[in-house]
Amino acid sequence: MKTILKIKFDNTFYLFLILILLSGMFKEFTFIFILIIFHELGHAITGVLLGFKLDKIIIYPYGGITKFNNLLNTSLNKEILVILMGPIIQIITYLILNKIFKYNYIKTYHLSILIFNLLPILSLDGGKLLNIILNKFFSYLKSFYISVFISFISIFSLLIYSLIYYKNLNLFLMMIFLLFKIYISIKNIKYDYQRFLLERYLYDFNFKKNKFIKNIYNFSKEYYHYIEGIEEKKYLEKYYKKM
């Protein structure tokens, strides 16, 4: 990958660019690229303004990923704002482009990117937003597994649609890619949860809400817990001493 500041271009991006040049659709690709870049900058700039540490932005042919090195116990409202500012900045960018350039396909590309990103599938903005909202009502682990379940339903529905009705190879391949990303997330969830717990043990978070839970697997974001009558700091201290 080649890096410009903290923006990285995946190798598939260059392959796609070559295909675009050969097909003569460079103008169309330019507008797609602008929409994607500003979408990701919406996430990145908002995150930095809210105190998140930006890791990198990865650009793919039909989208991007903005990664932060922030704590898992970050404010849910801040996370929601970071997620929403991507689509919002994209919409503003589209309105400006549409005002200057009178090409109908700009609207088509804008809506395709926007709607696809808002699907309730983990790794996409819609899936991330769903998971964050679920964290307001359920534990960290339960929110994750509900999000995975909804993601699977969405992906398999789109796979069936792409094969039977739409017959679009690009959509089919994107769904396969997202399935792989969810598989990686499931594989890593136990490590992520340990990191989530370790943060609570190492740092002092000013949680204003309390919750009584039965075991260590029921921790929730933005709550201070009492496990079997023991406050979480003391419980986690014993927990890590046993490991």
Side-chain angles (χ1 to χ4, degrees), residues 9-33 36 59-63 109 113 168 170 173-174:
F9 297 89
D10 187 76
N11 292 330
T12 57
F13 177 89
Y14 297 111
L15 176 61
F16 186 77
L17 179 59
I18 292 171
L19 295 174
I20 288 296
L21 290 172
L22 292 174
S23 65
M25 296 180 63
F26 186 76
K27 186 187 294 183
E28 291 85 345
F29 175 77
T30 301
F31 289 116
I32 294 174
F33 177 73
I36 291 172
I59 302 298
Y60 296 95
Y62 285 110
Y109 295 142
I113 295 168
N168 187 295
N170 288 333
L173 292 175
M174 282 189 281

Side-chain angles (χ1 to χ4, degrees), residues 36-208:
I36 291 172
I37 282 288
F38 278 91
H39 180 113
E40 297 307 321
L41 286 176
H43 294 312
I45 294 171
T46 305
V48 171
L49 290 174
L50 291 175
F52 292 8
K53 185 179 179 181
L54 179 63
D55 180 11
K56 58 190 171 184
I57 300 172
I58 304 175
I59 302 298
Y60 296 95
Y62 285 110
I65 297 176
T66 300
K67 294 187 176 183
F68 296 98
N69 284 326
N70 56 298
L71 298 176
L72 294 176
N73 285 279
T74 301
S75 162
L76 291 172
N77 289 335
K78 285 184 178 181
E79 289 185 334
I80 288 173
L81 187 58
V82 170
I83 293 296
L84 290 178
M85 285 308 294
I88 289 172
I89 295 300
Q90 181 186 320
I91 291 170
I92 294 171
T93 304
Y94 158 71
L95 292 174
I96 294 171
L97 290 174
N98 193 54
K99 192 75 175 178
I100 300 172
F101 304 97
K102 303 299 180 181
Y103 300 122
N104 292 329
Y105 56 73
I106 298 177
K107 181 178 180 180
T108 302
Y109 295 142
H110 161 65
L111 289 176
S112 297
I113 295 168
L114 187 68
I115 293 170
F116 181 76
N117 259 288
L118 291 176
L119 291 173
I121 300 172
L122 286 176
S123 296
L124 301 179
D125 289 347
K128 293 175 184 176
L129 185 61
L130 170 67
N131 186 56
I132 294 168
I133 292 171
L134 287 171
N135 269 280
K136 285 183 171 288
F137 304 98
F138 302 103
S139 69
Y140 184 95
L141 288 176
K142 185 175 285 187
S143 299
F144 172 77
Y145 286 114
I146 293 174
S147 299
V148 167
F149 178 73
I150 294 174
S151 296
F152 277 140
I153 291 175
S154 302
I155 288 175
F156 286 117
S157 298
L158 285 168
L159 279 173
I160 293 170
Y161 177 75
S162 66
L163 288 173
I164 299 177
Y165 300 103
Y166 195 43
K167 296 180 181 177
N168 187 295
L169 181 60
N170 288 333
L171 179 60
F172 178 82
L173 292 175
M174 282 189 281
M175 291 302 106
I176 297 298
F177 174 74
L178 289 174
L179 273 177
F180 175 74
K181 295 286 287 185
I182 293 172
Y183 165 75
I184 297 299
S185 297
I186 295 172
K187 191 176 179 180
N188 292 335
I189 184 59
K190 61 180 180 180
Y191 305 108
D192 292 337
Y193 191 62
Q194 284 300 317
R195 178 185 159 200
F196 171 73
L197 294 176
L198 187 61
E199 287 178 3
R200 303 178 76 102
Y201 173 61
L202 295 175
Y203 304 109
D204 293 319
F205 296 100
N206 187 27
F207 298 126
K208 296 180 180 179

